[in-house]
Each structure stands twice: as structure tokens, then as C-alpha cells.
Amino acid sequence: MEYPITFTLNGVKRSVSVPADRYLLEQLREMGCKSVKRGCETSGCGLCTVWMDGKPVLSCTVLAVRADGHQITTLEGLQPEAKILGGYLADEGGEQCGYCAPGLMMTLLAMEREYPDRAPTEAEIRHYLEGNLCRCSGYESHIRAAVAYFQDKREVK
Ligand code: FES
Ligand code: FES
């Protein structure tokens, strides 16, 4: 059984028909959003993080039909910011295989919006990133990159 849904994907209204049991992860990849990665598929790794109405959700466990009427954002829709944040990750040696990077960046860019007036502390960043796993690193390069990114962004405001 398929259901018609309409949602906004990266600023563009899209209407599609989706099977009742399809997850958003699958739907977004089929619609060309290859930044959305598949990892555990059990809400445990953060690789599939996208935004629903500006808040991070794990697309591997959100049914596609739930996107109906909502705004969905993937890293494809945040390219200028992603490029800047990606530069910080590269500078700190945090890019490595890169498989976790889109989910990590979606989480950090959401965090940025939750701290409009100050840079979050390192402890706050570590807490916020608890759900984003990386098989390559000990996370130190990610944390250094995030701290530097938030500090620099706040200084130029
Ligand atoms: S693939 Fe969704 S949390 Fe791991
Ligand atoms: S850099 Fe390889 S999984 Fe994180």
C-alpha cells in the first residue's frame, strides 16, 4: 500500500507516493540525497541524521509518511555552511574516511542554531554529539574542529 505525501525537501516542495513501511532514510536517498548515510538502522549511530522542521531526527527510524507536511533538510540543503564546517574538520584531521561526517555536521549545524548568543562549551558539544558515532576516530579531532568552528563563528558575529 502506498500513500501520497507532500513535504518540503531542502526548500523545494515535493510530492511523492511512498510505501507505508518505507523509512525516511530510504526515501531521501532515492530522491537523490546521498549525504544521508546508512549505518546501524536502529537509532544508534547518528549517520542518518537529517532535520525535520529544523530539529535533528534519525531518518532510519522515522517512517517516510511522517514527513508529510513537514520541512526536511539534508546536508545537500546546507552546502555553504557544510563547506565551512567541513574545512574545520579537515584542518583538525577529523575527516578520515568521512562516512560519519554528514550526520555529524547535521548535528553540529543544528546545535549552532540552539546557541544563537554564545559558543557552546566543549562539554556541551561532547554531550550533544553523544549520538553520533565514528568508527575511525577517538572523536578528539571532531571536538577540536567543533570548538574552533563555534568560537570563530561567534567572533565574527
Ligand atoms: S543509521 Fe540511523 S542511527 Fe544509525
Ligand atoms: S571518519 Fe570514518 S566513520 Fe567517522
Coordinates of all heavy atoms in Angstrom, one line a residue, residues 5-98:
I5 N 2.3 11.7 -0.3 CA 2.7 12.7 0.7 C 3.4 13.9 0.0 O 3.9 13.8 -1.1 CB 3.8 12.2 1.8 CG1 5.1 11.7 1.1 CG2 3.1 11.0 2.6 CD1 6.2 11.4 2.1
T6 N 3.3 15.1 0.7 CA 3.9 16.3 0.2 C 4.7 16.9 1.3 O 4.2 17.1 2.4 CB 2.8 17.3 -0.3 OG1 2.1 16.7 -1.4 CG2 3.5 18.6 -0.8
F7 N 6.0 17.1 1.0 CA 6.8 17.8 2.0 C 7.8 18.7 1.3 O 8.0 18.6 0.1 CB 7.5 16.7 2.9 CG 8.5 15.8 2.2 CD1 9.8 16.0 2.3 CD2 8.0 14.7 1.4 CE1 10.7 15.1 1.7 CE2 8.9 13.9 0.8 CZ 10.2 14.1 0.9
T8 N 8.5 19.5 2.1 CA 9.5 20.4 1.5 C 10.9 19.8 1.8 O 11.2 19.6 3.0 CB 9.4 21.8 2.2 OG1 8.1 22.3 2.0 CG2 10.4 22.8 1.6
L9 N 11.6 19.5 0.7 CA 12.9 18.9 0.8 C 13.9 20.0 0.4 O 14.0 20.4 -0.7 CB 13.0 17.7 0.0 CG 14.4 17.0 -0.1 CD1 14.9 16.6 1.3 CD2 14.4 15.8 -1.0
N10 N 14.7 20.4 1.4 CA 15.8 21.4 1.1 C 15.2 22.6 0.3 O 15.8 23.1 -0.6 CB 16.9 20.8 0.3 CG 17.6 19.7 1.1 OD1 17.7 19.8 2.3 ND2 18.1 18.7 0.5
G11 N 14.1 23.1 0.8 CA 13.4 24.3 0.3 C 12.6 24.1 -0.9 O 12.0 25.1 -1.4
V12 N 12.4 22.9 -1.4 CA 11.6 22.6 -2.6 C 10.5 21.7 -2.3 O 10.7 20.6 -1.7 CB 12.5 22.0 -3.7 CG1 11.6 21.7 -5.0 CG2 13.7 22.9 -4.1
K13 N 9.3 22.1 -2.6 CA 8.1 21.3 -2.3 C 8.1 20.0 -3.2 O 8.3 20.2 -4.4 CB 6.8 22.1 -2.6 CG 5.6 21.6 -1.8 CD 4.5 22.6 -1.8 CE 3.9 22.6 -0.4 NZ 2.7 23.4 -0.4
R14 N 7.9 18.9 -2.6 CA 8.0 17.6 -3.4 C 6.8 16.8 -3.0 O 6.4 16.7 -1.8 CB 9.2 16.8 -3.0 CG 10.5 17.6 -3.2 CD 10.9 17.8 -4.6 NE 11.2 16.5 -5.3 CZ 12.4 15.9 -5.4 NH1 13.5 16.5 -4.9 NH2 12.5 14.8 -6.1
S15 N 6.2 16.2 -4.0 CA 5.0 15.2 -3.8 C 5.4 13.9 -4.3 O 5.9 13.8 -5.5 CB 3.8 15.8 -4.5 OG 3.3 17.0 -3.9
V16 N 5.3 12.9 -3.5 CA 5.7 11.5 -3.8 C 4.7 10.5 -3.2 O 3.9 10.9 -2.3 CB 7.1 11.2 -3.3 CG1 8.2 11.9 -4.1 CG2 7.2 11.4 -1.8
S17 N 4.8 9.3 -3.8 CA 3.9 8.2 -3.2 C 4.9 7.3 -2.5 O 5.9 6.9 -3.1 CB 3.2 7.6 -4.4 OG 2.3 6.6 -3.9
V18 N 4.6 6.9 -1.3 CA 5.6 6.1 -0.5 C 4.9 4.9 0.1 O 3.8 5.0 0.6 CB 6.3 6.9 0.6 CG1 7.1 8.0 0.1 CG2 5.3 7.4 1.6
P19 N 5.6 3.7 0.1 CA 5.1 2.6 0.7 C 4.9 2.8 2.2 O 5.7 3.6 2.8 CB 6.1 1.5 0.5 CG 6.9 2.0 -0.7 CD 6.9 3.5 -0.6
A20 N 3.9 2.2 2.8 CA 3.6 2.5 4.3 C 4.8 2.1 5.2 O 5.0 2.7 6.2 CB 2.4 1.7 4.7
D21 N 5.6 1.1 4.7 CA 6.7 0.7 5.6 C 8.1 1.2 5.2 O 9.1 0.7 5.7 CB 6.7 -0.9 5.6 CG 7.0 -1.4 4.3 OD1 7.0 -0.7 3.3 OD2 7.2 -2.7 4.2
R22 N 8.1 2.2 4.4 CA 9.4 2.8 4.0 C 9.9 3.8 5.0 O 9.1 4.7 5.4 CB 9.3 3.4 2.6 CG 10.6 4.1 2.2 CD 10.6 4.6 0.8 NE 10.6 3.5 -0.1 CZ 10.5 3.7 -1.5 NH1 10.3 4.9 -1.9 NH2 10.5 2.6 -2.3
Y23 N 11.2 3.7 5.3 CA 11.7 4.7 6.2 C 12.2 5.9 5.4 O 12.6 5.9 4.3 CB 12.8 4.1 7.1 CG 12.3 3.2 8.2 CD1 12.3 1.8 8.0 CD2 11.7 3.8 9.3 CE1 11.8 1.0 9.0 CE2 11.1 3.0 10.3 CZ 11.2 1.6 10.1 OH 10.6 0.8 11.1
L24 N 12.3 7.1 6.2 CA 12.7 8.3 5.5 C 14.1 8.2 4.9 O 14.4 8.8 3.9 CB 12.6 9.4 6.6 CG 12.8 10.9 6.1 CD1 11.8 11.3 5.0 CD2 12.7 11.8 7.3
L25 N 15.0 7.5 5.6 CA 16.4 7.3 5.1 C 16.3 6.8 3.6 O 17.0 7.4 2.7 CB 17.1 6.3 6.0 CG 18.3 5.6 5.4 CD1 19.5 6.6 5.2 CD2 18.8 4.5 6.4
E26 N 15.6 5.8 3.4 CA 15.5 5.2 2.1 C 14.9 6.1 1.1 O 15.3 6.3 0.0 CB 14.6 3.9 2.2 CG 14.7 3.0 1.0 CD 16.1 2.4 1.0 OE1 16.6 1.9 2.0 OE2 16.7 2.4 -0.1
Q27 N 13.8 6.8 1.5 CA 13.1 7.7 0.6 C 14.0 8.9 0.2 O 14.1 9.3 -0.9 CB 11.9 8.3 1.4 CG 11.0 9.2 0.5 CD 10.4 8.4 -0.7 OE1 10.1 7.2 -0.6 NE2 10.4 9.1 -1.9
L28 N 14.8 9.4 1.2 CA 15.6 10.6 0.9 C 16.8 10.2 -0.1 O 17.1 10.9 -1.0 CB 16.2 11.2 2.1 CG 15.1 11.9 3.0 CD1 15.8 12.3 4.4 CD2 14.5 13.1 2.3
R29 N 17.3 9.0 0.2 CA 18.4 8.5 -0.7 C 17.9 8.3 -2.1 O 18.5 8.6 -3.1 CB 19.1 7.3 -0.2 CG 20.0 7.6 1.0 CD 20.7 6.3 1.5 NE 21.6 5.8 0.5 CZ 22.8 6.2 0.2 NH1 23.3 7.2 0.9 NH2 23.5 5.6 -0.8
E30 N 16.6 7.8 -2.2 CA 16.0 7.5 -3.5 C 15.8 8.9 -4.2 O 15.8 8.9 -5.5 CB 14.7 6.8 -3.4 CG 14.1 6.3 -4.7 CD 12.9 5.5 -4.5 OE1 12.9 4.4 -3.9 OE2 11.8 6.0 -4.8
M31 N 15.5 9.9 -3.5 CA 15.3 11.2 -4.1 C 16.6 12.0 -4.3 O 16.6 13.2 -4.6 CB 14.4 12.0 -3.1 CG 13.0 11.4 -3.1 SD 11.9 12.2 -1.9 CE 11.3 13.7 -2.8
G32 N 17.7 11.3 -4.2 CA 19.0 11.9 -4.6 C 19.8 12.5 -3.4 O 20.9 13.0 -3.7
C33 N 19.3 12.4 -2.2 CA 20.1 12.9 -1.1 C 21.1 11.8 -0.5 O 20.8 11.2 0.5 CB 19.1 13.4 0.0 SG 18.1 14.7 -0.5
K34 N 22.2 11.7 -1.2 CA 23.1 10.6 -0.9 C 24.0 11.0 0.3 O 24.8 10.2 0.7 CB 24.0 10.3 -2.1 CG 23.2 9.8 -3.3 CD 22.6 8.5 -3.1 CE 22.2 7.8 -4.4 NZ 20.9 7.3 -4.5
S35 N 23.8 12.2 0.8 CA 24.6 12.6 2.0 C 24.0 11.8 3.2 O 24.7 11.6 4.3 CB 24.5 14.1 2.3 OG 23.2 14.4 2.8
V36 N 22.8 11.3 3.1 CA 22.1 10.6 4.2 C 22.6 9.2 4.2 O 22.4 8.4 3.3 CB 20.6 10.6 4.1 CG1 19.9 10.1 5.3 CG2 20.1 12.1 3.8
K37 N 23.4 8.9 5.2 CA 24.2 7.6 5.3 C 23.4 6.5 6.1 O 22.7 6.9 7.0 CB 25.6 7.7 5.8 CG 26.4 8.7 5.1 CD 26.7 8.2 3.6 CE 27.6 9.2 2.9 NZ 27.3 9.3 1.5
R38 N 23.7 5.3 5.7 CA 23.0 4.2 6.4 C 24.1 3.5 7.3 O 25.2 3.1 6.8 CB 22.6 3.1 5.4 CG 21.8 2.0 5.9 CD 21.6 0.9 4.8 NE 21.1 1.5 3.6 CZ 19.8 1.7 3.3 NH1 18.9 1.4 4.2 NH2 19.4 2.2 2.1
G39 N 23.8 3.4 8.6 CA 24.7 2.7 9.5 C 24.0 1.6 10.2 O 23.8 0.5 9.6
C40 N 23.6 1.8 11.4 CA 23.0 0.8 12.3 C 21.6 0.5 11.9 O 21.1 -0.7 12.1 CB 23.1 1.2 13.7 SG 22.1 2.7 14.1
E41 N 20.9 1.5 11.4 CA 19.4 1.4 11.2 C 18.6 1.0 12.4 O 17.5 0.5 12.3 CB 19.1 0.4 10.0 CG 19.7 0.8 8.7 CD 19.3 -0.1 7.6 OE1 18.3 0.2 7.0 OE2 20.1 -1.0 7.3
T42 N 19.2 1.3 13.6 CA 18.4 1.1 14.8 C 18.5 2.3 15.8 O 18.5 2.1 17.0 CB 19.0 -0.1 15.6 OG1 20.4 0.0 15.8 CG2 18.7 -1.4 14.8
S43 N 18.7 3.5 15.2 CA 18.8 4.7 16.1 C 20.0 4.8 16.9 O 20.0 5.5 17.9 CB 17.6 4.9 16.9 OG 16.4 5.0 16.2
G44 N 21.1 4.1 16.6 CA 22.2 4.0 17.5 C 23.5 4.7 17.0 O 24.4 4.9 17.8
C45 N 23.6 5.2 15.7 CA 24.9 5.7 15.3 C 24.8 7.2 14.8 O 25.9 7.8 14.7 CB 25.4 4.8 14.2 SG 24.6 5.0 12.6
G46 N 23.7 7.7 14.5 CA 23.6 9.1 14.0 C 24.0 9.4 12.6 O 23.9 10.5 12.1
L47 N 24.4 8.3 11.9 CA 24.8 8.6 10.5 C 23.7 9.1 9.6 O 24.0 9.7 8.6 CB 25.4 7.2 9.9 CG 26.9 7.1 9.9 CD1 27.4 7.0 11.4 CD2 27.3 5.9 9.1
C48 N 22.5 8.8 9.9 CA 21.3 9.1 9.0 C 20.7 10.4 9.5 O 19.5 10.6 9.0 CB 20.3 7.9 9.1 SG 19.7 7.8 10.8
T49 N 21.3 11.2 10.3 CA 20.7 12.4 10.8 C 20.3 13.4 9.8 O 21.1 13.8 8.9 CB 21.6 13.1 11.8 OG1 22.0 12.2 12.8 CG2 21.0 14.3 12.5
V50 N 19.0 13.8 9.8 CA 18.5 14.9 8.9 C 17.7 15.8 9.9 O 17.6 15.5 11.1 CB 17.6 14.4 7.8 CG1 18.4 13.4 6.9 CG2 16.3 13.7 8.3
W51 N 17.2 16.9 9.3 CA 16.4 17.8 10.2 C 14.9 17.6 9.7 O 14.6 17.6 8.5 CB 16.7 19.2 10.0 CG 18.1 19.6 10.5 CD1 19.0 18.8 11.2 CD2 18.7 20.9 10.3 NE1 20.1 19.5 11.4 CE2 20.0 20.8 10.9 CE3 18.3 22.1 9.7 CZ2 20.9 21.9 10.9 CZ3 19.2 23.2 9.7 CH2 20.4 23.1 10.3
M52 N 14.0 17.6 10.7 CA 12.6 17.7 10.4 C 12.1 19.0 11.1 O 12.3 19.1 12.4 CB 11.8 16.5 11.0 CG 10.3 16.6 10.6 SD 9.4 15.2 11.2 CE 9.7 14.0 9.9
D53 N 11.7 19.9 10.4 CA 11.3 21.3 10.9 C 12.4 21.8 11.7 O 12.2 22.4 12.8 CB 10.0 21.1 11.7 CG 8.9 20.6 10.9 OD1 8.9 20.9 9.6 OD2 8.0 20.0 11.4
G54 N 13.7 21.7 11.2 CA 14.8 22.3 11.9 C 15.4 21.5 13.0 O 16.4 22.0 13.6
K55 N 14.9 20.4 13.4 CA 15.4 19.6 14.5 C 15.9 18.3 14.0 O 15.3 17.6 13.2 CB 14.3 19.3 15.6 CG 13.7 20.6 16.2 CD 14.6 21.2 17.1 CE 14.0 22.4 17.7 NZ 14.9 23.4 18.3
P56 N 17.1 17.9 14.6 CA 17.7 16.6 14.1 C 16.8 15.4 14.4 O 16.2 15.3 15.5 CB 19.0 16.5 14.9 CG 19.2 17.8 15.5 CD 17.9 18.5 15.6
V57 N 16.6 14.5 13.4 CA 15.9 13.3 13.6 C 16.7 12.2 13.0 O 17.5 12.4 12.1 CB 14.5 13.2 13.1 CG1 13.6 14.3 13.8 CG2 14.5 13.5 11.6
L58 N 16.5 10.9 13.4 CA 17.2 9.8 12.8 C 16.4 9.2 11.8 O 15.4 8.5 12.1 CB 17.6 8.8 13.9 CG 18.5 9.4 15.0 CD1 18.6 8.4 16.2 CD2 19.9 9.7 14.5
S59 N 16.7 9.4 10.5 CA 15.8 9.1 9.4 C 15.7 7.6 9.2 O 14.8 7.1 8.5 CB 16.3 9.7 8.1 OG 17.6 9.3 7.8
C60 N 16.5 6.8 9.9 CA 16.4 5.3 9.7 C 15.2 4.8 10.5 O 14.8 3.6 10.3 CB 17.7 4.6 10.2 SG 18.0 4.7 11.9
T61 N 14.7 5.6 11.4 CA 13.6 5.1 12.2 C 12.4 6.0 12.2 O 11.6 5.9 13.1 CB 14.1 4.8 13.7 OG1 14.9 5.9 14.2 CG2 14.9 3.5 13.8
V62 N 12.4 6.9 11.2 CA 11.2 7.7 11.0 C 10.6 7.3 9.7 O 11.2 7.2 8.7 CB 11.6 9.2 10.9 CG1 10.4 10.1 10.5 CG2 12.2 9.7 12.2
L63 N 9.3 6.9 9.8 CA 8.6 6.4 8.5 C 8.5 7.6 7.6 O 8.3 8.8 8.0 CB 7.2 5.9 8.9 CG 7.2 4.5 9.5 CD1 5.8 4.2 10.1 CD2 7.7 3.4 8.6
A64 N 8.7 7.3 6.3 CA 8.6 8.4 5.3 C 7.3 9.1 5.3 O 7.2 10.3 5.1 CB 8.9 7.8 3.9
V65 N 6.2 8.4 5.6 CA 4.9 9.1 5.6 C 4.8 10.2 6.7 O 4.0 11.1 6.6 CB 3.7 8.1 5.9 CG1 3.5 7.2 4.7 CG2 3.9 7.3 7.1
R66 N 5.7 10.1 7.7 CA 5.7 11.1 8.7 C 6.2 12.4 8.2 O 6.1 13.5 8.9 CB 6.4 10.6 10.0 CG 5.6 9.7 10.8 CD 6.2 9.5 12.2 NE 6.4 10.8 12.9 CZ 7.4 11.0 13.7 NH1 8.2 10.1 14.1 NH2 7.5 12.2 14.3
A67 N 6.9 12.4 7.1 CA 7.4 13.7 6.5 C 6.3 14.6 5.9 O 6.5 15.7 5.7 CB 8.4 13.4 5.5
D68 N 5.1 14.0 5.8 CA 4.0 14.7 5.1 C 3.7 16.0 5.8 O 3.5 16.0 7.0 CB 2.8 13.8 5.1 CG 1.7 14.4 4.2 OD1 2.0 15.0 3.2 OD2 0.5 14.2 4.6
G69 N 3.8 17.1 5.1 CA 3.5 18.4 5.6 C 4.7 19.0 6.4 O 4.5 20.1 6.9
H70 N 5.8 18.4 6.4 CA 6.9 18.9 7.2 C 8.1 19.4 6.2 O 8.1 19.2 5.1 CB 7.5 17.9 8.1 CG 6.5 17.5 9.2 ND1 6.4 18.3 10.4 CD2 5.6 16.5 9.3 CE1 5.5 17.7 11.1 NE2 5.0 16.7 10.5
Q71 N 9.0 20.1 6.9 CA 10.2 20.6 6.2 C 11.3 19.6 6.5 O 11.7 19.4 7.7 CB 10.6 22.0 6.8 CG 9.6 23.0 6.8 CD 9.8 24.0 5.6 OE1 10.8 24.0 5.0 NE2 8.8 24.9 5.5
I72 N 11.9 19.0 5.5 CA 13.0 18.1 5.7 C 14.3 18.8 5.1 O 14.3 19.3 4.0 CB 12.8 16.7 5.0 CG1 11.5 16.1 5.6 CG2 14.0 15.8 5.2 CD1 11.5 15.7 7.0
T73 N 15.4 18.7 5.9 CA 16.6 19.3 5.4 C 17.7 18.2 5.5 O 17.8 17.5 6.5 CB 17.0 20.5 6.3 OG1 15.9 21.4 6.4 CG2 18.2 21.2 5.7
T74 N 18.5 18.1 4.5 CA 19.7 17.2 4.5 C 20.9 18.1 4.2 O 20.8 19.3 3.9 CB 19.6 16.2 3.4 OG1 19.7 16.8 2.1 CG2 18.2 15.4 3.4
L75 N 22.1 17.5 4.3 CA 23.3 18.3 4.1 C 23.3 19.0 2.7 O 23.9 20.0 2.5 CB 24.5 17.4 4.3 CG 25.8 18.2 4.7 CD1 25.6 18.9 6.0 CD2 26.9 17.2 4.8
E76 N 22.6 18.4 1.7 CA 22.6 19.0 0.4 C 22.0 20.4 0.4 O 22.2 21.2 -0.4 CB 21.8 18.1 -0.6 CG 22.5 16.8 -1.1 CD 22.4 15.7 -0.1 OE1 21.9 15.8 1.0 OE2 22.9 14.6 -0.5
G77 N 21.1 20.6 1.4 CA 20.4 21.9 1.5 C 21.2 22.9 2.4 O 20.7 24.0 2.6
L78 N 22.3 22.5 2.9 CA 23.1 23.4 3.8 C 24.5 23.6 3.2 O 25.5 23.7 4.0 CB 23.2 22.8 5.2 CG 21.8 22.6 5.9 CD1 22.0 21.8 7.2 CD2 21.2 24.0 6.3
Q79 N 24.7 23.6 1.9 CA 26.0 23.5 1.3 C 27.0 24.6 1.8 O 28.2 24.2 2.1 CB 25.9 23.4 -0.2 CG 25.7 22.0 -0.6 CD 26.7 21.0 0.0 OE1 27.8 21.0 -0.4 NE2 26.2 20.1 0.8
P80 N 26.6 25.9 1.8 CA 27.6 26.9 2.2 C 28.2 26.6 3.6 O 29.4 26.6 3.8 CB 26.9 28.2 2.1 CG 25.7 27.9 1.1 CD 25.4 26.5 1.4
E81 N 27.3 26.4 4.5 CA 27.7 26.1 5.9 C 28.5 24.8 6.0 O 29.5 24.7 6.7 CB 26.5 26.0 6.8 CG 25.7 27.2 7.0 CD 24.4 26.9 7.8 OE1 24.5 26.8 9.0 OE2 23.3 26.9 7.2
A82 N 28.0 23.8 5.3 CA 28.7 22.5 5.3 C 30.1 22.6 4.8 O 31.1 22.0 5.3 CB 27.9 21.5 4.5
K83 N 30.3 23.4 3.8 CA 31.7 23.6 3.2 C 32.6 24.2 4.3 O 33.7 23.8 4.5 CB 31.6 24.5 2.0 CG 32.7 24.4 1.1 CD 32.5 25.0 -0.2 CE 33.8 25.0 -1.0 NZ 33.8 26.0 -2.1
I84 N 32.1 25.2 5.0 CA 32.9 25.9 6.0 C 33.2 24.9 7.2 O 34.4 24.7 7.6 CB 32.2 27.1 6.6 CG1 32.1 28.2 5.5 CG2 33.0 27.7 7.8 CD1 31.1 29.3 5.8
L85 N 32.2 24.2 7.7 CA 32.4 23.3 8.8 C 33.3 22.1 8.3 O 34.2 21.7 9.1 CB 31.1 22.8 9.3 CG 31.1 21.7 10.4 CD1 31.9 22.2 11.6 CD2 29.6 21.4 10.8
G86 N 33.1 21.7 7.1 CA 34.0 20.6 6.6 C 35.5 21.0 6.6 O 36.3 20.2 6.8
G87 N 35.7 22.3 6.3 CA 37.1 22.8 6.3 C 37.7 22.7 7.7 O 38.9 22.4 7.8
Y88 N 36.9 23.0 8.7 CA 37.4 22.9 10.1 C 37.7 21.4 10.4 O 38.7 21.1 11.0 CB 36.4 23.4 11.1 CG 36.4 24.9 11.2 CD1 35.8 25.7 10.3 CD2 37.1 25.5 12.3 CE1 35.8 27.1 10.4 CE2 37.1 26.9 12.4 CZ 36.5 27.7 11.4 OH 36.5 29.1 11.5
L89 N 36.9 20.5 10.0 CA 37.1 19.1 10.2 C 38.4 18.6 9.5 O 39.2 17.9 10.1 CB 35.9 18.3 9.7 CG 34.7 18.2 10.6 CD1 33.5 17.7 9.9 CD2 34.9 17.4 11.9
A90 N 38.6 19.1 8.3 CA 39.8 18.7 7.6 C 41.0 19.3 8.3 O 42.0 18.6 8.4 CB 39.7 19.2 6.1
D91 N 40.9 20.6 8.7 CA 42.1 21.2 9.3 C 42.5 20.5 10.6 O 43.7 20.5 11.0 CB 41.7 22.7 9.7 CG 41.7 23.6 8.5 OD1 42.1 23.1 7.4 OD2 41.2 24.7 8.7
E92 N 41.6 19.9 11.3 CA 41.9 19.2 12.6 C 42.1 17.7 12.4 O 42.2 16.9 13.3 CB 40.8 19.4 13.6 CG 40.6 20.8 14.1 CD 41.8 21.3 14.8 OE1 42.7 20.5 15.3 OE2 42.0 22.6 14.9
G93 N 42.1 17.2 11.1 CA 42.3 15.8 10.8 C 41.1 15.0 11.1 O 41.2 13.8 11.4
G94 N 39.9 15.6 11.1 CA 38.7 14.9 11.5 C 37.9 14.3 10.4 O 36.9 13.7 10.6
E95 N 38.5 14.4 9.2 CA 37.6 13.9 8.0 C 37.8 12.4 7.8 O 36.9 11.7 7.5 CB 37.9 14.7 6.8 CG 39.2 14.3 6.0 CD 40.5 14.9 6.6 OE1 40.5 15.2 7.8 OE2 41.4 15.1 5.8
Q96 N 39.0 11.9 8.0 CA 39.3 10.4 7.9 C 38.5 9.8 6.8 O 38.5 10.2 5.7 CB 39.2 9.8 9.3 CG 40.2 10.5 10.3 CD 39.9 10.2 11.7 OE1 40.4 9.2 12.2 NE2 39.1 11.0 12.3
C97 N 37.8 8.7 7.1 CA 37.0 8.1 5.9 C 35.8 8.9 5.5 O 35.3 8.8 4.4 CB 36.6 6.7 6.3 SG 35.0 6.6 7.1
G98 N 35.3 9.8 6.4 CA 34.3 10.7 6.1 C 32.9 10.2 6.2 O 31.9 10.9 5.9

